[in-house]
Amino acid sequence: MGNFVTAAPNEAAVISGRGGTRIYVGKTGFRFWVIEKVDRLSLELFTIEINSQDAETCRGVRVNVSSIAQVKVHAWKDVEELARTEDGRSMHGKKGKSSKGDLNNTRIKLAAQHFLGSKEDSIREALQRTMEGHQRQILGTLTVEELYKDRKAFSAQVREHVFDDLAAMGFKLVSYTVNSISDNSDYMVSLGVTQTAIVKREAAEGKARNESEAKKKVAEFNAQAEIAEAHAMREAHVVVAQQQEQEAEADRDLNLKKAAFEREVNQANAEAKAAGPIESAKQQQAVVREETRQVQVREQINLDIADQLVAREQKEKEGTALAAMLAEKHKAEGIRVIANAEADRIKLLGQADAQVIREKGEAEAQVLERKANAYKQYGEAATIQMIIEKLPEIAKNVAEPLQKTEKMVFVSSDGSSGSQLTGDITRILGQLPDVVEGITGFDLREAVNSNNNKQKKDTKTTSQNGHSIV
């Protein structure tokens, strides 16, 4: 089976085996027999004395440095504020236990790997060698003067350089203090003597400087006293002058008031003497104002009468213009009525003419229709008869322009100019069948010949039947 394992607050119980590694601090755990084992790691402080004998500084001066370091296992996680310098080194600031109190298992495991099962003396020796190595390394970068003047800077550099190595071992540096710095060649004593001489010199200089400052202050105080006295005398003189100025101003104000009073009295006397003429002048001015007002009222009445006359004349002119306008309006209305009547008359005449033309057209259409029926009934004979009847009218129309000729002059070499005129008219009439055929398509010659042939045939037929032709 197994047993319970209890760890005190100042130690870490490390259980390792089948289930891996478990760490308990201030708690109780369970360990299985055979397959698991328990080791304990102390979490207490290790006080380490670091003595660096004959350590060389950067200028080759050998010194002896003694210091005390407090180191412990880094069992709890810290809240660290880290700042990076330009050369990449980490400056470790304030450290403190985390708010949750979490175990730093990583650091405890590192310490367990290095020192679990080891005795405290061996652990202290390993830590002491590490601290002394870093202390000697830092001493090699400094001068004796720097060590003598600023031990705090030396301690800070040691803390910074040892931090990473201790962390890799699972430990952390809790404190580091330099106890003493000395050398075997009295270099530090010489520095002390020099420093003492410097201090004495500075003391003498300070005494002389203080005495000089005291004399300066006495002189300054005396000068300030004299200046204050002069200021006081000047202020007293100014006060006296101001008092005299105020007295002069008071006398001036009194004289001015007296003169003002006398001026008022003289003005009152003059006003009393001039009151009578002034009152007469005022009465005269009132009379003039009244007369002027009367003239103004009279002129205003005349203006009102003139305005009324102008208004009456304007109204008369407006009445005359209105009457003329009404007359023109009535005249225009009469013209409009006449124009409308004339338009109606023209419209009625047009309608009557249109009716006559329509009836005439209808009558002519009926005549044409009857003629057409007669033409259909009588055939070509009627057509020929109609054309022959129109020949005299056509000849008349052809010869009609000659009737309007007052005088005709015939020029001819053979004396036949007069007979040629008649021949021209006859030739025109002879061309009529061609004109009729060209316009109507009716061949007058063919119709006449056809009609003659038909009459001859009818005559022959009648003769054969025994009838005589009259």
Side-chain angles (χ1 to χ4, degrees):
M1 291 296 291
N3 64 321
F4 290 97
V5 177
T6 301
N10 61 342
E11 66 176 0
V14 181
I15 302 175
S16 58
R18 180 187 62 85
T21 302
R22 302 192 303 277
I23 299 172
Y24 297 94
V25 177
K27 292 182 179 180
T28 300
F30 185 80
R31 176 182 73 89
F32 290 95
W33 292 337
V34 181
I35 61 175
E36 290 183 339
K37 64 176 294 188
V38 178
D39 294 292
R40 298 182 183 275
L41 181 66
S42 176
L43 303 181
E44 294 180 352
L45 284 173
F46 289 91
T47 301
I48 301 171
E49 294 182 3
I50 306 171
N51 294 315
S52 298
Q53 300 295 325
D54 294 333
E56 290 187 1
T57 61
C58 65
R59 293 181 179 178
V61 179
R62 297 180 180 273
V63 294
N64 302 319
V65 178
S66 175
S67 61
I68 301 295
Q70 302 288 341
V71 184
K72 65 175 293 186
V73 176
H74 196 174
W76 301 99
K77 292 181 180 180
D78 294 333
V79 179
E80 300 180 352
E81 298 177 357
L82 302 178
R84 289 291 177 181
T85 59
E86 294 182 356
D87 58 357
R89 296 180 302 172
S90 61
M91 299 296 293
H92 299 274
K94 297 181 180 178
K95 302 183 182 69
K97 195 173 181 180
S98 65
S99 59
K100 295 183 179 179
D102 297 333
L103 279 176
N104 195 341
N105 291 323
T106 302
R107 298 293 177 87
I108 296 175
K109 287 180 180 180
L110 287 173
Q113 289 175 1
H114 294 296
F115 302 107
L116 192 63
S118 300
K119 295 182 179 180
E120 291 186 2
D121 292 339
S122 61
I123 296 173
R124 183 177 285 105
E125 183 180 0
L127 295 174
Q128 191 269 338
R129 289 179 181 274
T130 301
M131 292 296 299
E132 185 181 358
H134 283 284
Q135 182 171 278
R136 283 180 175 273
Q137 184 179 2
I138 299 303
L139 288 172
T141 62
L142 300 175
T143 63
V144 177
E145 289 80 4
E146 290 174 345
L147 291 172
Y148 184 82
K149 292 180 180 179
D150 195 353
R151 293 186 181 186
K152 185 177 181 181
F154 169 68
S155 299
Q157 292 186 29
V158 173
R159 282 175 175 274
E160 178 184 356
H161 282 78
V162 79
F163 180 86
D164 293 334
D165 287 350
L166 291 178
M169 297 167 65
F171 286 79
K172 71 174 182 178
L173 181 64
V174 178
S175 68
Y176 173 81
T177 305
V178 177
N179 291 335
S180 63
I181 301 175
S182 63
D183 66 286
N184 298 327
S185 58
D186 294 333
Y187 190 91
M188 301 288 291
V189 175
S190 299
L191 288 177
V193 173
T194 303
Q195 187 66 26
T196 302
I198 292 173
V199 171
K200 290 181 178 180
R201 185 194 66 192
E202 290 179 351
E205 291 176 354
K207 180 179 179 181
R209 185 167 54 252
N210 290 331
E211 291 177 353
S212 175
E213 290 293 332
K215 292 179 180 180
K216 289 181 181 179
K217 290 295 183 181
V218 172
E220 288 179 0
F221 291 151
N222 293 331
Q224 290 177 359
E226 292 177 358
I227 292 172
E229 183 179 1
H231 287 170
M233 294 178 64
R234 185 185 62 183
E235 290 177 358
H237 181 72
V238 169
V239 170
V240 172
Q242 290 178 350
Q243 183 67 30
Q244 293 176 355
E245 181 180 358
Q246 292 176 357
E247 292 177 358
E249 289 179 355
D251 295 337
R252 182 198 61 188
D253 293 339
L254 178 61
N255 294 328
L256 289 174
K257 288 182 179 180
K258 289 181 178 180
F261 292 153
E262 292 178 357
R263 183 175 63 253
E264 291 177 0
V265 171
N266 295 331
Q267 183 177 0
N269 294 330
E271 289 178 355
K273 292 180 181 179
I278 290 174
E279 186 63 26
S280 300
K282 288 182 178 178
Q283 294 296 328
Q284 185 64 30
Q285 289 177 357
V287 172
V288 173
R289 281 199 298 270
E290 184 63 23
E291 291 177 352
T292 303
R293 190 180 65 80
Q294 292 296 330
V295 172
Q296 184 178 4
V297 171
R298 184 167 57 253
E299 294 296 332
Q300 184 64 38
I301 293 173
N302 293 332
L303 289 175
D304 294 339
I305 294 172
D307 290 339
Q308 292 177 1
L309 292 175
V310 170
R312 185 182 66 183
E313 184 177 357
Q314 183 177 0
K315 288 182 179 179
E316 290 178 355
K317 290 182 179 180
E318 289 178 354
T320 303
L322 181 61
M325 183 177 66
L326 291 175
E328 292 294 332
K329 183 177 180 182
H330 293 160
K331 183 178 179 181
E333 186 66 24
I335 293 172
R336 186 180 63 80
V337 171
I338 294 172
N340 291 336
E342 183 64 20
D344 294 338
R345 184 181 68 81
I346 293 172
K347 181 178 180 182
L348 293 175
L349 290 175
Q351 291 177 354
D353 292 340
Q355 184 65 26
V356 171
I357 292 171
R358 184 170 59 253
E359 292 177 356
K360 183 178 179 181
E362 291 176 355
E364 290 178 354
Q366 291 177 1
V367 172
L368 292 174
E369 183 178 1
R370 291 174 183 174
K371 286 182 179 181
N373 293 330
Y375 293 155
K376 290 180 181 179
Q377 183 177 1
Y378 295 105
E380 292 181 353
T383 302
I384 294 169
Q385 180 65 30
M386 183 184 67
I387 292 173
I388 291 173
E389 289 177 356
K390 292 294 184 179
L391 287 176
E393 184 177 354
I394 292 172
K396 181 180 177 183
N397 290 331
V398 171
E400 185 176 0
L402 298 175
Q403 293 179 1
K404 297 179 180 180
T405 303
E406 296 179 356
K407 184 178 180 180
M408 300 177 66
V409 178
F410 298 96
V411 178
S412 176
S413 59
D414 57 358
S416 59
S417 58
S419 60
Q420 287 182 358
L421 177 60
T422 305
D424 291 337
I425 295 173
T426 303
R427 282 193 299 274
I428 292 172
L429 293 176
Q431 296 173 359
L432 183 61
D434 296 331
V435 175
V436 172
E437 183 179 3
I439 295 174
T440 64
F442 182 74
D443 192 351
L444 183 59
R445 293 189 183 92
E446 184 179 357
V448 172
N449 292 332
S450 176
N451 187 45
N452 290 335
N453 292 332
K454 184 178 180 181
Q455 287 180 0
K456 289 179 180 180
K457 186 176 180 181
D458 291 340
T459 301
K460 185 176 181 181
T461 301
T462 303
S463 299
Q464 290 176 356
N465 291 333
H467 293 285
S468 60
I469 299 174
V470 182

